[in-house]
Amino acid sequence: MALLRVRSTVREAEGVLGLLLTDPEGRDLPPWEPGAHLEVELPSGRVRHYSLCGDPADRGAYRLGVLRERGGRGGSEEVHTAVRPGTALRVRGPFNRFPLVAADRYLFLAGGIGITPLLPMVRSLPPGGFTLLYGGRSLASMAYREELAGLPGAVLVPEDREGPLDLDAALGGLAPGTAVYACGPEGLLRAVAERWGGPLHTERFGAPSAAGAAPGPEPAGLPDRGEPAETGEAADPVPGGAFEVELRRSGAVLRVPPERSLLEVVREVVPRVPSSCEEGWCGTCETKVLGGVPEHRDSVLGPAERETGATMMICVGRSRSRRLTLDL
């Protein structure tokens, strides 16, 4: 992890705090492309993921926008109350699971703070090459609205004045070769998926509404995660039941009962194993599988990645074999 320092903070909208992160020694930061995010360790030790929403050409600073979620798990509240100019934060990345693919034309659908990964995308495209519909509760709650006001093709839709986004009109009659991107609340992503049968590129900021639901259509260009793990043991006829986990590097073999998560049991031996959302959508706890057949319950891996069984999200995943061997 790299140590960065908060250079400045700014109120981007009601409930949205903007951060600029820089290297303490003034060095250039690692490059990134639109759609990328950082994994940030907060002063409390909480780990959270935030989209980069600045200019990829600016190697001097990373820009983040963080929504204050009153009913959340405390990460955004900590950012808004405990992070200030001069605060040191440990970060990993940038990572990009939401890349901008080549297309003839683009339709971007943003809900609330979902504008953050889409902003660098639309700024990188030529005028006339995209349409962005950005919905929010009110103009005052919509971050980066001044920047977007000067971009041809960007349309702001405050719900208190104009109602919700008209997805039927937006998705109806799209020209062939249009790439559709959506980011925002689960309700928005679900509504888009119900109305659009073509390739869909999404990024969610929370778990899917149905526990263990498989992910929707995956964006093109997902990284190859390696060869399938050796199965070793016969499949368990009752997925979700008890199984053993072998931690190869630690030398421990532990029992995972039905009522406990794999992550919870692993922490008995590896207490600082990386994790964040603990709901299977952020990817922080992705772990290499050396043996056994994982039972995937996350919304990160695509169908091909699940088929290889090379990695898994141990916060929600379990085992279809009597023993699972992990690279921990």
Side-chain angles (χ1 to χ4, degrees), residues 4-306:
L4 301 184
R5 197 168 299 280
V6 178
R7 186 172 78 189
S8 64
T9 62
V10 62
R11 184 175 179 270
E12 300 287 6
E14 287 181 355
V16 179
L17 183 68
L19 309 177
L20 278 183
L21 307 183
T22 59
D23 182 273
E25 305 299 324
R27 295 181 290 254
D28 280 352
L29 299 173
W32 60 282
E33 295 181 348
H37 70 272
L38 287 182
E39 182 180 288
V40 180
E41 182 177 309
L42 302 178
S44 66
R46 295 184 177 97
V47 177
R48 296 293 184 267
H49 292 241
Y50 299 115
S51 296
L52 290 164
C53 58
D55 181 359
D58 181 4
R59 298 286 299 279
Y62 288 146
R63 184 172 73 161
L64 310 176
V66 181
L67 173 67
R68 189 174 197 169
E69 297 183 83
R70 301 286 185 178
R73 295 181 296 122
S76 66
E77 186 71 17
E78 181 177 358
V79 170
H80 279 252
T81 59
V83 174
R84 53 186 59 88
T87 299
L89 298 172
R90 296 178 65 84
V91 308
R92 291 180 65 235
F95 306 103
N96 199 344
R97 294 183 178 275
F98 193 44
L100 183 63
V101 302
D104 296 332
R105 185 169 175 79
Y106 299 85
L107 171 64
F108 298 98
L109 301 168
I113 199 63
I115 189 61
T116 50
L118 302 183
L119 182 58
M121 294 185 184
V122 298
R123 293 180 64 184
S124 72
L125 296 172
F130 71 90
T131 297
L132 166 68
L133 297 181
Y134 174 20
R137 295 188 310 276
S138 65
L139 276 177
S141 71
M142 299 171 72
Y144 313 113
R145 57 188 181 275
E146 293 86 359
E147 293 181 36
L148 290 166
L151 288 179
V155 180
L156 276 61
V157 185
E159 188 170 359
D160 61 346
R161 297 184 185 180
E162 303 180 32
L165 294 178
D166 188 345
L167 297 179
D168 292 322
L171 295 166
L174 285 180
T178 300
V180 178
Y181 279 75
C183 186
E186 179 63 22
L188 171 66
L189 303 188
R190 186 170 58 251
V192 173
E194 290 171 352
R195 289 166 171 80
W196 176 243
L200 176 61
H201 307 265
T202 63
E203 184 165 78
R204 47 177 39 93
F205 292 150
S209 54
E218 292 290 327
L222 285 168
D224 180 6
R225 297 174 186 273
E227 297 299 320
E230 295 182 4
T231 57
E233 304 271 351
D236 187 338
V238 187
F243 61 95
E244 289 184 341
V245 59
E246 176 188 352
L247 307 183
R248 179 66 58 83
R249 282 186 278 155
S250 303
V253 176
L254 308 169
R255 181 178 183 274
V256 184
E259 69 275 9
R260 298 184 71 192
S261 72
L262 177 54
L263 175 63
E264 184 182 0
V265 172
V266 166
R267 279 176 171 161
E268 295 177 359
V269 176
V270 190
R272 292 188 64 81
V273 62
S275 68
S276 178
C277 74
E278 301 191 13
E279 295 178 316
W281 58 266
C282 76
T284 300
C285 68
E286 185 172 8
T287 302
K288 187 176 182 179
V289 178
L290 302 178
V293 184
E295 178 187 327
H296 299 289
R297 298 183 175 187
D298 62 89
S299 57
V300 176
L301 300 177
E305 296 168 306
R306 290 174 174 232

